[in-house]
Amino acid sequence: MRFAGKLLRYAAAAFVGITLMAGPKAVLAQDATTPTTQDDNQKTHEALLRQIQLLQQQLDAVQKQLDAIKAASAPTFSTQRNTMIPAAAGVSTSATAPTTAAAVTPAPAAIPVVAASATAVTQTEASTGPIAPFSDADWTWLNGNPRTKDTPMATKYFVPEIRADVNYNLDFNHPKDDTISGSSEIFRSQEVQVEQLGVGGDFLIDNVHARFMTQFGMYSVTTPRNDASPARGQWDLASAYRYVSEAYGGYHWNKMHGINLDAGIFMSYIGLFSYYNFDNWAYQPSFVSSNTPWFFNGVRAQFFPTAHLKIEPWFINGWQSYGRFNSKPGLGGQIKWTPKPYINIISNNYGYGEDSLGNPNRSRLHTDNSIEVKYYDKPSKPLDKMAVSVTGDAGCETGDGVSCHGNSLTNGNVNYKQSFLGWMVYNRFWFDKDRHAITVGGGAINNPGRYLVLMPVINGATAASGTPYFTENPGDQFHAMDGTVTYDYMPSQYITFRTEYGYRHAREAYWAGRGGITPPGGTTTTPIGNPADYVCLNNGVATDSGLGYGTPLTGPGSVAAACGGGTTPGVAAMSHIWFPDLRRDEQKLTFAIMVKF
């Protein structure tokens, strides 16, 4: 390739030199033999200008050939996230197709050639084999898909990826412990925090591929605490995977438009949004995304029958879990279809898994469906692009005292309705050649049983421990809605400066208020006793009551009695029990700087 590049450069230089030398000599010869007029000189000048313009076109064509040859030695990428498509023999992609590090396709790029007239440049594409899936359109506008089009550090065998996400959040409730709860993206108030520092990339050798990505920062703490599966059995799974967001390897077969088989931890796109905020239209997604899985641990296959269709079955440990919650694995899959360059349709479906810790006969079903449409695209206009995403989710749990079909009685026992209904809609507007963007959106959920409601981190509570202050039992209700307005400034494809206002409301008290959700003297690493117990508060000193959910708050044998408040019901007795300050409303301003290259 280096020899070919030098040869083309030498040929171009020689051609330019000979042409420029020949032009002046011809003019001198004319001057020596015939008298010239002003008109003759003008015509000669115009002829030289045309010749120079022609030479410039030829040089541009040569440069494009050199760029194409260079590109052929490095991987090209599918524009679809979470879809690795390595080294398919005979698979070609257009030299002008946008690329991202989401999927590897090191097939030779099409090489532009100089037309015979030397006045136009055309592109040829390989006529053998199918094109790489999703490579024939620019999909960087999608919600949940990275907008980077270049991978300047890519090599033949490795495509590095570096991500940095730093935020500052202003919670209008001003919790005194600076703790924000009920989100899988925003965690601290009035502090600058590193959400994620990710370092990794994609490896590819002879159809064998692997990917890894780290998650240093807040994600390394907040994501594992939402998984209750490590509480079952031995070995500390949460610590084992704490600093890894993606880690898998697999193989690619050159069949149809590609077949992949991967095993390990890979991203889930149930809820449309990406785990990485850089890829998304908003920083705080609605509940349909924030409360559904960000990752799976298991095995997936990817089948590409056409360039615009992906069928992806999963065999996984469970619903965003490092291990199994009970005795059954989770089964599911994704179907992705892009019938037009401006339409993206995704359907994710999950079932069979028993994902309620300690309830081995309770199964979960869930369907998640999204459509994204780019309905306006005028690159030359100040308002250059508009797109909308619509997502609807439905699910339920059945067995061990709950039902998908409403409250009912079985042998005198109540089967509570345990279901999930949710939706979200986002509309995005791009300005000034995609340097600026505004997104408006939001959604709502209804989740009786609260099995997909994020456990508030009250006194260090986790998904495994639970808390008596906000239970997630059959029959517990949860209704919530939210909305955000987001402004992005994107001076480069590798960086986003984001400002976002968000409002969230729940019918049940859920968000951290001014009094905070940390008892006096407690922290996440050193809670007051067992997070599953009520906390006593006497003269400003917090202690563990030793009593959890199901214990009456007042009266004989009550929490108040254990805390020294006596057995007489009333305000005096209740004053000996500490309570978190939970509110029904939350407003936030988020400022973030996000980098990806």
Side-chain angles (χ1 to χ4, degrees), residues 449-473:
R450 300 179 180 176
Y451 66 94
L452 291 187
V453 178
L454 297 173
M455 176 62 63
V457 59
I458 300 170
N459 189 30
T462 66
S465 72
T467 174
Y469 297 105
F470 187 88
T471 58
E472 297 185 345
N473 296 317

PDB file of all heavy atoms in Angstrom, residues 449-473:
ATOM      1  N   GLY A 449     -46.825  -3.420  41.907  1.00  0.00           N
ATOM      2  CA  GLY A 449     -45.840  -4.392  42.361  1.00  0.00           C
ATOM      3  C   GLY A 449     -44.445  -3.814  42.398  1.00  0.00           C
ATOM      4  O   GLY A 449     -43.552  -4.376  43.033  1.00  0.00           O
ATOM      5  N   ARG A 450     -44.237  -2.707  41.667  1.00  0.00           N
ATOM      6  CA  ARG A 450     -42.960  -1.956  41.699  1.00  0.00           C
ATOM      7  C   ARG A 450     -41.748  -2.809  41.333  1.00  0.00           C
ATOM      8  O   ARG A 450     -40.612  -2.483  41.697  1.00  0.00           O
ATOM      9  CB  ARG A 450     -42.741  -1.336  43.087  1.00  0.00           C
ATOM     10  CG  ARG A 450     -43.817  -0.363  43.518  1.00  0.00           C
ATOM     11  CD  ARG A 450     -43.547   0.200  44.908  1.00  0.00           C
ATOM     12  NE  ARG A 450     -44.583   1.145  45.319  1.00  0.00           N
ATOM     13  CZ  ARG A 450     -44.645   1.720  46.516  1.00  0.00           C
ATOM     14  NH1 ARG A 450     -43.731   1.434  47.441  1.00  0.00           N
ATOM     15  NH2 ARG A 450     -45.612   2.563  46.816  1.00  0.00           N
ATOM     16  N   TYR A 451     -41.946  -3.891  40.600  1.00  0.00           N
ATOM     17  CA  TYR A 451     -40.814  -4.789  40.365  1.00  0.00           C
ATOM     18  C   TYR A 451     -39.780  -4.202  39.403  1.00  0.00           C
ATOM     19  O   TYR A 451     -38.654  -4.711  39.326  1.00  0.00           O
ATOM     20  CB  TYR A 451     -41.308  -6.161  39.872  1.00  0.00           C
ATOM     21  CG  TYR A 451     -41.980  -6.166  38.515  1.00  0.00           C
ATOM     22  CD1 TYR A 451     -41.261  -6.439  37.365  1.00  0.00           C
ATOM     23  CD2 TYR A 451     -43.345  -5.926  38.399  1.00  0.00           C
ATOM     24  CE1 TYR A 451     -41.879  -6.474  36.117  1.00  0.00           C
ATOM     25  CE2 TYR A 451     -43.977  -5.962  37.171  1.00  0.00           C
ATOM     26  CZ  TYR A 451     -43.242  -6.233  36.027  1.00  0.00           C
ATOM     27  OH  TYR A 451     -43.858  -6.264  34.799  1.00  0.00           O
ATOM     28  N   LEU A 452     -40.128  -3.124  38.675  1.00  0.00           N
ATOM     29  CA  LEU A 452     -39.137  -2.453  37.836  1.00  0.00           C
ATOM     30  C   LEU A 452     -38.831  -1.038  38.326  1.00  0.00           C
ATOM     31  O   LEU A 452     -38.173  -0.271  37.627  1.00  0.00           O
ATOM     32  CB  LEU A 452     -39.621  -2.399  36.379  1.00  0.00           C
ATOM     33  CG  LEU A 452     -39.670  -3.731  35.633  1.00  0.00           C
ATOM     34  CD1 LEU A 452     -39.991  -3.515  34.162  1.00  0.00           C
ATOM     35  CD2 LEU A 452     -38.369  -4.506  35.784  1.00  0.00           C
ATOM     36  N   VAL A 453     -39.298  -0.698  39.518  1.00  0.00           N
ATOM     37  CA  VAL A 453     -38.963   0.606  40.097  1.00  0.00           C
ATOM     38  C   VAL A 453     -37.587   0.499  40.754  1.00  0.00           C
ATOM     39  O   VAL A 453     -37.305  -0.453  41.491  1.00  0.00           O
ATOM     40  CB  VAL A 453     -40.019   1.033  41.137  1.00  0.00           C
ATOM     41  CG1 VAL A 453     -39.629   2.367  41.779  1.00  0.00           C
ATOM     42  CG2 VAL A 453     -41.389   1.143  40.481  1.00  0.00           C
ATOM     43  N   LEU A 454     -36.722   1.464  40.471  1.00  0.00           N
ATOM     44  CA  LEU A 454     -35.382   1.445  41.065  1.00  0.00           C
ATOM     45  C   LEU A 454     -35.482   1.638  42.573  1.00  0.00           C
ATOM     46  O   LEU A 454     -36.136   2.563  43.059  1.00  0.00           O
ATOM     47  CB  LEU A 454     -34.525   2.559  40.451  1.00  0.00           C
ATOM     48  CG  LEU A 454     -34.249   2.441  38.955  1.00  0.00           C
ATOM     49  CD1 LEU A 454     -33.529   3.685  38.447  1.00  0.00           C
ATOM     50  CD2 LEU A 454     -33.438   1.192  38.641  1.00  0.00           C
ATOM     51  N   MET A 455     -34.831   0.761  43.318  1.00  0.00           N
ATOM     52  CA  MET A 455     -34.854   0.831  44.771  1.00  0.00           C
ATOM     53  C   MET A 455     -34.149   2.099  45.255  1.00  0.00           C
ATOM     54  O   MET A 455     -32.975   2.318  44.948  1.00  0.00           O
ATOM     55  CB  MET A 455     -34.153  -0.395  45.360  1.00  0.00           C
ATOM     56  CG  MET A 455     -34.032  -0.383  46.872  1.00  0.00           C
ATOM     57  SD  MET A 455     -35.619  -0.385  47.718  1.00  0.00           S
ATOM     58  CE  MET A 455     -36.289  -1.971  47.196  1.00  0.00           C
ATOM     59  N   PRO A 456     -34.833   2.967  46.015  1.00  0.00           N
ATOM     60  CA  PRO A 456     -34.164   4.161  46.540  1.00  0.00           C
ATOM     61  C   PRO A 456     -33.006   3.765  47.460  1.00  0.00           C
ATOM     62  O   PRO A 456     -33.117   2.807  48.240  1.00  0.00           O
ATOM     63  CB  PRO A 456     -35.260   4.885  47.324  1.00  0.00           C
ATOM     64  CG  PRO A 456     -36.549   4.334  46.812  1.00  0.00           C
ATOM     65  CD  PRO A 456     -36.251   2.920  46.404  1.00  0.00           C
ATOM     66  N   VAL A 457     -31.924   4.504  47.377  1.00  0.00           N
ATOM     67  CA  VAL A 457     -30.733   4.154  48.154  1.00  0.00           C
ATOM     68  C   VAL A 457     -30.843   4.763  49.560  1.00  0.00           C
ATOM     69  O   VAL A 457     -30.014   5.571  49.991  1.00  0.00           O
ATOM     70  CB  VAL A 457     -29.448   4.595  47.412  1.00  0.00           C
ATOM     71  CG1 VAL A 457     -29.429   6.089  47.143  1.00  0.00           C
ATOM     72  CG2 VAL A 457     -28.199   4.131  48.148  1.00  0.00           C
ATOM     73  N   ILE A 458     -31.886   4.362  50.296  1.00  0.00           N
ATOM     74  CA  ILE A 458     -32.148   4.864  51.648  1.00  0.00           C
ATOM     75  C   ILE A 458     -31.291   4.081  52.640  1.00  0.00           C
ATOM     76  O   ILE A 458     -31.374   2.851  52.709  1.00  0.00           O
ATOM     77  CB  ILE A 458     -33.645   4.734  51.995  1.00  0.00           C
ATOM     78  CG1 ILE A 458     -34.494   5.538  51.010  1.00  0.00           C
ATOM     79  CG2 ILE A 458     -33.906   5.178  53.427  1.00  0.00           C
ATOM     80  CD1 ILE A 458     -35.983   5.267  51.128  1.00  0.00           C
ATOM     81  N   ASN A 459     -30.456   4.785  53.397  1.00  0.00           N
ATOM     82  CA  ASN A 459     -29.579   4.136  54.371  1.00  0.00           C
ATOM     83  C   ASN A 459     -28.766   3.019  53.728  1.00  0.00           C
ATOM     84  O   ASN A 459     -28.572   1.955  54.298  1.00  0.00           O
ATOM     85  CB  ASN A 459     -30.393   3.594  55.554  1.00  0.00           C
ATOM     86  CG  ASN A 459     -29.511   3.102  56.693  1.00  0.00           C
ATOM     87  OD1 ASN A 459     -28.407   3.603  56.915  1.00  0.00           O
ATOM     88  ND2 ASN A 459     -29.986   2.096  57.419  1.00  0.00           N
ATOM     89  N   GLY A 460     -28.296   3.256  52.504  1.00  0.00           N
ATOM     90  CA  GLY A 460     -27.441   2.282  51.822  1.00  0.00           C
ATOM     91  C   GLY A 460     -28.173   1.105  51.235  1.00  0.00           C
ATOM     92  O   GLY A 460     -27.546   0.092  50.895  1.00  0.00           O
ATOM     93  N   ALA A 461     -29.486   1.191  51.061  1.00  0.00           N
ATOM     94  CA  ALA A 461     -30.257   0.069  50.534  1.00  0.00           C
ATOM     95  C   ALA A 461     -29.838  -0.258  49.104  1.00  0.00           C
ATOM     96  O   ALA A 461     -29.479   0.619  48.317  1.00  0.00           O
ATOM     97  CB  ALA A 461     -31.747   0.388  50.583  1.00  0.00           C
ATOM     98  N   THR A 462     -29.897  -1.524  48.772  1.00  0.00           N
ATOM     99  CA  THR A 462     -29.627  -2.005  47.414  1.00  0.00           C
ATOM    100  C   THR A 462     -30.829  -2.810  46.931  1.00  0.00           C
ATOM    101  O   THR A 462     -31.788  -3.047  47.681  1.00  0.00           O
ATOM    102  CB  THR A 462     -28.383  -2.897  47.372  1.00  0.00           C
ATOM    103  OG1 THR A 462     -28.649  -4.099  48.107  1.00  0.00           O
ATOM    104  CG2 THR A 462     -27.173  -2.179  47.991  1.00  0.00           C
ATOM    105  N   ALA A 463     -30.758  -3.255  45.683  1.00  0.00           N
ATOM    106  CA  ALA A 463     -31.828  -4.087  45.152  1.00  0.00           C
ATOM    107  C   ALA A 463     -31.962  -5.378  45.937  1.00  0.00           C
ATOM    108  O   ALA A 463     -33.061  -5.950  46.031  1.00  0.00           O
ATOM    109  CB  ALA A 463     -31.566  -4.392  43.680  1.00  0.00           C
ATOM    110  N   ALA A 464     -30.872  -5.860  46.516  1.00  0.00           N
ATOM    111  CA  ALA A 464     -30.911  -7.104  47.284  1.00  0.00           C
ATOM    112  C   ALA A 464     -31.456  -6.895  48.685  1.00  0.00           C
ATOM    113  O   ALA A 464     -32.227  -7.706  49.197  1.00  0.00           O
ATOM    114  CB  ALA A 464     -29.521  -7.723  47.346  1.00  0.00           C
ATOM    115  N   SER A 465     -31.066  -5.808  49.343  1.00  0.00           N
ATOM    116  CA  SER A 465     -31.476  -5.597  50.736  1.00  0.00           C
ATOM    117  C   SER A 465     -32.908  -5.097  50.854  1.00  0.00           C
ATOM    118  O   SER A 465     -33.651  -5.496  51.742  1.00  0.00           O
ATOM    119  CB  SER A 465     -30.534  -4.598  51.413  1.00  0.00           C
ATOM    120  OG  SER A 465     -30.756  -3.274  50.932  1.00  0.00           O
ATOM    121  N   GLY A 466     -33.302  -4.192  49.930  1.00  0.00           N
ATOM    122  CA  GLY A 466     -34.593  -3.543  50.067  1.00  0.00           C
ATOM    123  C   GLY A 466     -34.591  -2.570  51.229  1.00  0.00           C
ATOM    124  O   GLY A 466     -33.591  -2.425  51.961  1.00  0.00           O
ATOM    125  N   THR A 467     -35.701  -1.878  51.429  1.00  0.00           N
ATOM    126  CA  THR A 467     -35.843  -0.939  52.535  1.00  0.00           C
ATOM    127  C   THR A 467     -37.292  -0.923  52.990  1.00  0.00           C
ATOM    128  O   THR A 467     -38.209  -1.002  52.155  1.00  0.00           O
ATOM    129  CB  THR A 467     -35.414   0.479  52.130  1.00  0.00           C
ATOM    130  OG1 THR A 467     -35.690   1.396  53.206  1.00  0.00           O
ATOM    131  CG2 THR A 467     -36.146   0.959  50.884  1.00  0.00           C
ATOM    132  N   PRO A 468     -37.543  -0.827  54.295  1.00  0.00           N
ATOM    133  CA  PRO A 468     -38.933  -0.767  54.764  1.00  0.00           C
ATOM    134  C   PRO A 468     -39.601   0.569  54.465  1.00  0.00           C
ATOM    135  O   PRO A 468     -40.826   0.680  54.576  1.00  0.00           O
ATOM    136  CB  PRO A 468     -38.799  -0.989  56.272  1.00  0.00           C
ATOM    137  CG  PRO A 468     -37.435  -0.486  56.611  1.00  0.00           C
ATOM    138  CD  PRO A 468     -36.585  -0.828  55.415  1.00  0.00           C
ATOM    139  N   TYR A 469     -38.801   1.557  54.082  1.00  0.00           N
ATOM    140  CA  TYR A 469     -39.356   2.883  53.835  1.00  0.00           C
ATOM    141  C   TYR A 469     -39.970   3.014  52.440  1.00  0.00           C
ATOM    142  O   TYR A 469     -40.730   3.939  52.186  1.00  0.00           O
ATOM    143  CB  TYR A 469     -38.264   3.939  54.016  1.00  0.00           C
ATOM    144  CG  TYR A 469     -37.718   3.988  55.426  1.00  0.00           C
ATOM    145  CD1 TYR A 469     -36.462   3.462  55.731  1.00  0.00           C
ATOM    146  CD2 TYR A 469     -38.446   4.568  56.452  1.00  0.00           C
ATOM    147  CE1 TYR A 469     -35.943   3.518  57.014  1.00  0.00           C
ATOM    148  CE2 TYR A 469     -37.946   4.629  57.749  1.00  0.00           C
ATOM    149  CZ  TYR A 469     -36.702   4.099  58.034  1.00  0.00           C
ATOM    150  OH  TYR A 469     -36.203   4.150  59.306  1.00  0.00           O
ATOM    151  N   PHE A 470     -39.602   2.134  51.535  1.00  0.00           N
ATOM    152  CA  PHE A 470     -40.207   2.101  50.202  1.00  0.00           C
ATOM    153  C   PHE A 470     -40.182   0.649  49.748  1.00  0.00           C
ATOM    154  O   PHE A 470     -39.189   0.167  49.207  1.00  0.00           O
ATOM    155  CB  PHE A 470     -39.444   2.988  49.215  1.00  0.00           C
ATOM    156  CG  PHE A 470     -40.129   3.120  47.884  1.00  0.00           C
ATOM    157  CD1 PHE A 470     -41.079   4.113  47.675  1.00  0.00           C
ATOM    158  CD2 PHE A 470     -39.858   2.238  46.843  1.00  0.00           C
ATOM    159  CE1 PHE A 470     -41.725   4.234  46.447  1.00  0.00           C
ATOM    160  CE2 PHE A 470     -40.496   2.346  45.616  1.00  0.00           C
ATOM    161  CZ  PHE A 470     -41.438   3.354  45.419  1.00  0.00           C
ATOM    162  N   THR A 471     -41.267  -0.044  49.999  1.00  0.00           N
ATOM    163  CA  THR A 471     -41.317  -1.474  49.724  1.00  0.00           C
ATOM    164  C   THR A 471     -41.653  -1.740  48.263  1.00  0.00           C
ATOM    165  O   THR A 471     -42.213  -0.896  47.560  1.00  0.00           O
ATOM    166  CB  THR A 471     -42.364  -2.152  50.626  1.00  0.00           C
ATOM    167  OG1 THR A 471     -43.638  -1.548  50.392  1.00  0.00           O
ATOM    168  CG2 THR A 471     -41.982  -1.997  52.082  1.00  0.00           C
ATOM    169  N   GLU A 472     -41.303  -2.935  47.824  1.00  0.00           N
ATOM    170  CA  GLU A 472     -41.610  -3.385  46.465  1.00  0.00           C
ATOM    171  C   GLU A 472     -42.283  -4.747  46.558  1.00  0.00           C
ATOM    172  O   GLU A 472     -41.765  -5.767  46.095  1.00  0.00           O
ATOM    173  CB  GLU A 472     -40.333  -3.430  45.616  1.00  0.00           C
ATOM    174  CG  GLU A 472     -39.707  -2.046  45.439  1.00  0.00           C
ATOM    175  CD  GLU A 472     -38.513  -2.023  44.502  1.00  0.00           C
ATOM    176  OE1 GLU A 472     -37.968  -3.122  44.196  1.00  0.00           O
ATOM    177  OE2 GLU A 472     -38.115  -0.931  44.077  1.00  0.00           O
ATOM    178  N   ASN A 473     -43.456  -4.735  47.153  1.00  0.00           N
ATOM    179  CA  ASN A 473     -44.206  -5.952  47.401  1.00  0.00           C
ATOM    180  C   ASN A 473     -45.418  -6.034  46.482  1.00  0.00           C
ATOM    181  O   ASN A 473     -45.901  -5.012  45.974  1.00  0.00           O
ATOM    182  CB  ASN A 473     -44.681  -5.992  48.860  1.00  0.00           C
ATOM    183  CG  ASN A 473     -43.517  -6.052  49.831  1.00  0.00           C
ATOM    184  OD1 ASN A 473     -42.551  -6.792  49.616  1.00  0.00           O
ATOM    185  ND2 ASN A 473     -43.605  -5.277  50.906  1.00  0.00           N
TER     186      ASN A 473
END
